[in-house]
Amino acid sequence: YDNRDAYARLETALLDSVKVLEQEMRKDILNAFSWMLYDRIIDMRFAIPRCKLNDGDFHAKFGIFYSGDEALSYSGSMNDSKHGFQNYETITVFKSWAGTKEYVEIEIERFNRIWDQNDPNLNIYTIPSAVKSKIFSLRTSDRPYKKPNIQENNKWIHQEQAVECFMEKEHGILAMATGTGKTVTALKIIDHLFEESRIKRVIITMYGNDLLEQWAKQVRDKYQTKQIFYQYESNKMMNKFILHPDNSILLVSRDSNNLSNLLDSLERLPGNYKDDTIFVFDEVHGAGAPSIVENLTGRISPYRYRLGLSATPEREYDEEGNEFILNEIGEVIYEFSLKDAITKGILCEFNYIPLNYKLSPQEKKKKKDIIAAFSAKRKSGIPYNEKDMFTQLAKINKTALDKIDEFEKFISSRVDFLDKCIIFVETKDYGELLQNVLIRYTDKYHTYYSEDEKSNLENFSSGKIRCLLTCKKVSEGIDISSVTNIFLFASDRSKLVTTQRIGRALRLDKENPSKKANVIDFIMNETKDDEETADEERKAWLTDLSKTRRTQNEE
């Protein structure tokens, strides 16, 4: 059911069940059950048949036990009742280590599909907060077991913690490292808000069609009973969303005109649209762009539910953009860092390999000319932006020709590093210079610039292309778990871009469980100027991060 009355009936029924639970269970069992639910040792969800199974029961009995990399599944049951001993009962058990791994994987896939509400014939409900509170009240003051360390028991518990934090705060940013499940966490938040009838509609905004299509796939797979609209170039789908706003989801590219038009349309809706709509900003740091700040200041903050997602939310050298994000979307309410993720085994460990390079005399002269030009403007009282000066200086470092020579020296003895590899460069022209070296060592590479076909990214993901040469197109959000090697020809002073880029290689790979990534960076060999110290700062940061070791096994 998707309405408030039905949800209220479910909540009432479950509250009545708590009363029966209290009467029928012995006090010690009741106390242990209540404490285990409170400590999140156990969790429950309720499956209600619908569609093809309407008027039926959720009667299946199956489950999975895990131990490290092994698992055991069972299907069927032996009824634990007097009458059960008179029935013809069966139970089937499969073990991943006994030649029946594929059967175990089928059961795991089935369980996850149901648990995550991806079965179109079942509605899945979590325990309403009012019901949890009632169960928690049944506890005695003494926990009947030693308090567990949940962080050690569940490596994904950070997602639940983030959900709980948002449900309490109702707006803010989840600063979660690349690959730790920002999208999954956002969908869990949306689930809770829909289940508790707090929202009627969802608006998810992101930058670029690649990310939009990735979101679309996950939303489409998960929400088969809701209307889903995808806004690409025209306003056609946005208009359809406005005409059918209830029980619907809109995915819209992050463009100030798109969002401004959308907000104009929402303001014409009847009812409490500002209280029953959630805005989700993926890669929220992009929401501080000047055009968005100019057109949307004061227009997002009135909405009750605003969720920002990013590995690194702050915009460097942009106080106005950061202030907009803080005022309109909120502060960071939950943080889960790269180091946390590597420690818990969510991301893989990596080696950091810095290669030294030098600027040529011509490149040094260009930098002196840039500094002199800005100095002349300052002395003459001509307005100038210091950020522009640093950007121009940094570009010379990012396109230093000596990096290409150092790159060839390295790969001449380590050609294997060009396999499952992404090379980040600053410009297409610089990339063309690098291609003259690449072609001598591999022919299984391709570029992926703004004008290149998306099929290049898909071929890289499938393994047809082994090395991808790009600027910024795959820095944000794209999940290609096989990537193992990253070359950083272009690195910003800000940790934002570097975090996203190395994150491409830190995702776990099911086909390579022992994967350890490699990050190859280029460090200026001279550190006289301030902007050049950024290389040394990045080197110290990544060197320290590369020492992080997994302390937990995968579950």
Side-chain angles (χ1 to χ4, degrees), residues 8-24 130-131 134-135 138:
R9 290 199 299 273
L10 173 65
E11 185 173 88
T12 300
L14 292 174
L15 286 169
D16 290 340
S17 296
V18 176
K19 296 176 184 177
V20 175
L21 185 72
E22 186 173 10
Q23 296 168 0
E24 293 184 353
V131 177
K134 182 66 176 177
I135 295 175
L138 304 179

Side-chain angles (χ1 to χ4, degrees), residues 134-362:
K134 182 66 176 177
I135 295 175
F136 295 163
S137 70
L138 304 179
R139 295 171 297 145
T140 65
S141 58
D142 297 323
R143 184 182 278 102
Y145 51 80
K146 183 179 178 181
K147 184 178 180 180
N149 186 339
I150 297 298
Q151 292 288 350
E152 294 181 358
N153 290 342
N154 184 355
K155 73 175 185 179
W156 298 104
I157 195 65
H158 66 278
Q159 294 179 357
E160 304 302 330
Q161 293 170 342
V163 170
E164 289 182 11
C165 188
F166 182 85
M167 295 298 287
E168 178 185 349
K169 305 285 188 182
E170 297 185 341
H171 66 272
I173 297 169
L174 308 182
M176 297 169 61
T178 299
T180 60
K182 293 190 294 293
T183 303
V184 171
T185 304
L187 294 177
K188 287 182 178 181
I189 288 171
I190 291 168
D191 283 348
H192 279 273
L193 292 173
F194 268 129
E195 287 172 7
E196 298 186 14
S197 299
R198 295 206 215 176
I199 60 171
K200 291 183 179 179
R201 65 195 65 85
V202 178
I203 298 166
I204 305 172
T205 178
M206 72 297 295
Y207 179 75
N209 287 347
D210 286 343
L211 264 182
L212 195 150
E213 290 173 10
Q214 186 167 298
W215 268 97
K217 182 181 184 305
Q218 296 194 56
V219 169
R220 188 168 53 244
D221 290 344
K222 187 171 183 61
Y223 298 107
Q224 300 185 23
T225 62
K226 302 190 186 302
Q227 300 178 95
I228 302 171
F229 304 95
Y230 316 109
Q231 174 71 22
Y232 288 90
E233 301 297 332
S234 69
N235 289 327
K236 184 177 179 181
M237 284 299 181
M238 186 187 296
N239 294 335
K240 286 187 176 182
F241 170 75
I242 295 299
L243 290 173
H244 306 281
D246 291 353
N247 198 37
S248 62
I249 300 172
L250 172 67
L251 291 93
V252 55
S253 57
R254 191 178 61 233
D255 174 86
S256 61
N257 290 328
N258 277 344
L259 295 177
S260 184
N261 292 336
L262 175 61
L263 289 168
D264 289 341
S265 299
L266 287 174
E267 288 173 3
R268 293 191 287 270
L269 288 179
N272 298 323
Y273 67 94
K274 289 183 179 178
D275 287 336
D276 56 22
T277 302
I278 181 172
F279 271 91
V280 179
F281 291 83
D282 194 18
E283 304 297 351
V284 71
H285 48 270
S291 61
I292 294 178
V293 172
E294 180 181 352
N295 291 309
L296 301 184
T297 295
R299 302 195 65 189
I300 299 170
S301 56
Y303 285 81
R304 180 176 179 180
Y305 301 106
R306 293 112 55 201
L307 172 62
L309 307 172
S310 183
T312 46
E314 287 195 9
R315 297 169 62 87
E316 192 151 6
Y317 305 121
D318 188 1
E319 185 175 339
E320 186 178 8
N322 287 328
E323 186 176 352
F324 173 86
I325 293 171
L326 176 64
N327 293 337
E328 296 298 321
I329 301 169
E331 62 184 3
V332 173
I333 59 175
Y334 185 82
E335 188 169 1
F336 192 76
S337 68
L338 275 175
K339 183 168 284 192
D340 294 330
I342 295 172
T343 299
K344 295 191 73 174
I346 295 170
L347 298 179
C348 71
E349 299 171 6
F350 72 98
N351 300 309
Y352 178 63
I353 305 170
L355 303 179
N356 292 328
Y357 75 95
K358 294 180 180 181
L359 294 179
S360 69
Q362 294 84 353

Side-chain angles (χ1 to χ4, degrees), residues 433-473:
L433 294 176
L434 189 60
Q435 284 178 246
N436 295 328
V437 173
L438 269 178
I439 195 64
R440 294 201 287 267
Y441 296 92
T442 180
D443 59 355
K444 293 184 178 179
Y445 79 90
H446 211 291
T447 59
Y448 188 56
Y449 302 123
S450 57
E451 69 274 15
D452 286 327
E453 295 291 332
K454 188 187 173 187
S455 59
N456 293 341
L457 186 63
E458 294 168 349
N459 288 335
F460 178 66
S461 180
S462 66
K464 294 178 182 178
I465 296 172
R466 309 303 291 176
C467 176
L468 206 64
L469 183 63
T470 186
C471 292
K472 298 182 179 180
K473 289 282 289 183

Side-chain angles (χ1 to χ4, degrees), residues 516-530:
K516 189 169 185 177
N518 298 296
V519 176
I520 300 90
D521 194 8
F522 293 86
I523 304 298
M524 170 73 72
N525 211 13
E526 304 163 352
T527 57
K528 295 178 182 178
D529 299 326
D530 178 64

